[in-house]
């Protein structure tokens, strides 16, 4: 328990609270008495005439016990008695009532802050300190109670989005008739889907592994994990096919690129060789033609002489 009752008390209203950081003792003696000090009337009047709009409006809008409507300007100003003036305790009570009214009108969400380490540095986790904070704040107890009956819950729209492929084949016609955007039809489709998918987890006495609510479905321990395992197996086949198609495309692309590179290198190699052969043959033919013409020119000169 978090409450500590000291063996030796200095007063009847002394008690202690076991916090995660250590035990702290409190003494409530005079708690109400010391909060009955009245707010000075001149201070309130001074605050109401303040040039700061925030202070003036806050004092003017504060409705405290004993503060009636403002008197007419024609009446003589009379100093209010401190006996009926608002006290710190009455102001705190009024503020607390206003806060509770606002909380009751809204949907509150609480954030639990946990101190991960005592050295105030990032990327350091002290598990014993964290666990002690969670245990002292009641988070572990709340999680344990939640997991004892229906530890997991999902909205009907999310169930249909994640596990629609588990819908029974003999009910496909009914699925087409339902409007999956309607909350009522979502509930019907979700119940049909879960009844078929979680049939192996149903107990011998007919107790199902889930309960369908108006907007959510509640799963017993292990039911949601079972559905996720089936989902992973169901997605494994299509994932393998997609991977095979992508890898085949990448392999063919790489092969075609390599073939084009080899063909270009081969063309450049044979093209250079052909050019060298052509230049050699053309040079030989040109030399042969030159020699032939040179001989013919010599013979012609000899006949002329």
């Amino acid at each position: 328990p978090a409450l500590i009752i000291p063996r030796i008390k200095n007063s009847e209203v002394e008690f202690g609270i076991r916090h995660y950081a250590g035990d702290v003792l409190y003494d409530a003696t005079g708690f109400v008495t010391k909060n009955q000090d009245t707010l000075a009337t001149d201070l309130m009047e001074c605050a109401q005439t303040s040039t700061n709009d925030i202070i003036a409006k806050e004092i003017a809008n504060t409705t405290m016990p004993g503060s009636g409507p403002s008197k007419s300007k024609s009446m003589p100003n009379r100093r209010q008695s401190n006996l009926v003036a608002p006290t710190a305790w009455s102001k705190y009570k009024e503020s607390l009532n206003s806060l509770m009214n606002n909380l009751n009108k809204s949907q509150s969400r609480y954030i639990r802050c946990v101190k991960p380490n005592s050295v105030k540095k990032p990327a350091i986790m002290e598990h014993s300190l964290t666990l002690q904070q969670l245990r002292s704040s009641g988070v572990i107890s709340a999680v344990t109670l939640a997991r004892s009956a229906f530890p997991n819950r999902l909205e009907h729209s999310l169930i249909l989005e994640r596990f629609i492929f588990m819908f029974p084949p003999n009910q496909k016609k009914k699925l087409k008739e339902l409007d999956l955007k309607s909350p009522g039809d979502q509930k019907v489709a979700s119940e049909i889907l879960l009844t078929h998918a979680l049939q192996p987890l149903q107990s011998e006495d007919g107790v199902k592994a889930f309960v369908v609510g108006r907007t959510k479905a509640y799963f017993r321990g292990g039911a949601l994990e079972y559905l996720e395992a089936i989902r992973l197996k169901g997605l494994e086949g299509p994932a393998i096919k997609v991977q095979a198609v992508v890898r085949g495309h990448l392999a063919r692309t790489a092969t075609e690129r390599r073939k084009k590179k080899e063909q270009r290198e081969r063309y450049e190699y044979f093209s250079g060789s052909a050019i060298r052969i052509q230049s050699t043959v053309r040079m030989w033919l040109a030399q042969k033609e030159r020699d032939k013409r040179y001989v013919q020119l010599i013979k012609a000169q000899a006949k002329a002489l």
Side-chain angles (χ1 to χ4, degrees), residues 72 237 284:
S72 175
W284 178 76

Side-chain angles (χ1 to χ4, degrees), residues 15 54 71 73 108 170 182 228 237 255-256 264-265 296:
F15 63 95
I54 298 177
K71 298 181 180 181
K73 293 183 179 180
S108 303
N170 56 353
S182 173
E228 290 292 345
T255 302
E256 292 177 359
R264 184 171 60 254
E265 293 177 351
Q296 290 178 353

Side-chain angles (χ1 to χ4, degrees), residues 243-291:
Q243 290 178 354
V245 172
V246 173
R247 289 175 179 175
H249 172 71
L250 294 177
R252 287 190 296 271
T253 303
T255 302
E256 292 177 359
R257 193 175 300 165
R258 186 174 62 254
K259 286 183 178 180
K260 289 182 179 179
K261 183 178 179 181
E262 292 177 354
Q263 290 175 358
R264 184 171 60 254
E265 293 177 351
R266 190 174 181 182
Y267 170 78
E268 292 177 354
Y269 173 77
F270 284 108
S271 177
S273 300
I275 290 174
R276 286 192 293 271
I277 292 173
Q278 288 177 357
S279 62
T280 302
V281 171
R282 287 173 180 173
M283 182 183 66
W284 178 76
L285 292 176
Q287 290 177 353
K288 186 176 181 181
E289 182 68 21
R290 185 199 60 188
D291 294 341

Side-chain angles (χ1 to χ4, degrees), residues 76-289:
N77 294 330
R78 297 183 61 183
R79 191 177 189 84
Q80 294 182 356
S81 174
N82 283 338
L83 296 177
V84 296
T87 63
W89 167 249
S90 59
K91 186 175 178 64
Y92 170 77
K93 183 179 179 181
E94 184 69 23
S95 177
L96 181 60
N97 290 335
S98 177
L99 174 62
M100 295 305 299
N101 291 333
N102 292 333
L103 290 177
N104 293 331
K105 294 178 182 178
S106 60
Q107 296 180 354
S108 303
R109 295 292 184 270
Y110 298 95
I111 300 175
R112 179 74 65 180
C113 298
V114 178
K115 186 178 180 181
N117 58 74
S118 57
V119 295
K120 298 181 180 180
K121 291 184 179 180
I124 298 178
M125 174 67 73
E126 296 180 4
H127 297 284
S128 58
L129 177 63
T130 304
L131 185 62
Q132 187 177 3
Q133 294 177 68
L134 295 176
R135 185 179 289 110
S136 300
S137 59
V139 175
I140 294 181
S141 301
V143 172
T144 303
L145 290 175
R147 293 184 65 86
S148 60
F150 299 97
N152 306 109
R153 64 194 70 180
L154 285 178
E155 296 182 356
H156 296 315
S157 58
L158 186 57
I159 292 174
L160 296 176
E161 180 182 350
R162 293 180 64 84
F163 309 113
I164 190 63
F165 68 94
M166 301 182 191
F167 208 86
N170 56 353
Q171 298 286 343
K172 293 289 186 180
K173 185 177 180 181
K174 186 173 183 179
L175 179 63
K176 294 180 180 179
E177 298 175 354
L178 296 175
D179 183 12
L180 298 183
K181 294 183 179 180
S182 173
D185 291 348
Q186 286 180 356
K187 177 182 177 181
V188 174
S190 177
E191 187 171 5
I192 296 174
L193 188 153
L194 295 177
T195 302
H196 174 73
L198 298 177
Q199 184 68 27
L201 299 183
Q202 185 173 344
S203 61
E204 297 179 356
D205 54 353
V207 178
K208 295 182 180 180
F210 68 97
V211 174
V212 177
R214 186 173 62 179
T215 58
K216 295 181 181 180
Y218 300 83
F219 301 90
R220 298 187 187 276
L224 186 59
E225 290 79 0
Y226 177 78
L227 290 177
E228 290 292 345
I230 296 179
R231 180 174 178 269
L232 289 177
K233 289 182 180 179
L235 295 178
E236 185 177 356
I240 292 176
K241 291 181 180 179
V242 171
Q243 290 178 354
V245 172
V246 173
R247 289 175 179 175
H249 172 71
L250 294 177
R252 287 190 296 271
T253 303
T255 302
E256 292 177 359
R257 193 175 300 165
R258 186 174 62 254
K259 286 183 178 180
K260 289 182 179 179
K261 183 178 179 181
E262 292 177 354
Q263 290 175 358
R264 184 171 60 254
E265 293 177 351
R266 190 174 181 182
Y267 170 78
E268 292 177 354
Y269 173 77
F270 284 108
S271 177
S273 300
I275 290 174
R276 286 192 293 271
I277 292 173
Q278 288 177 357
S279 62
T280 302
V281 171
R282 287 173 180 173
M283 182 183 66
W284 178 76
L285 292 176
Q287 290 177 353
K288 186 176 181 181
E289 182 68 21

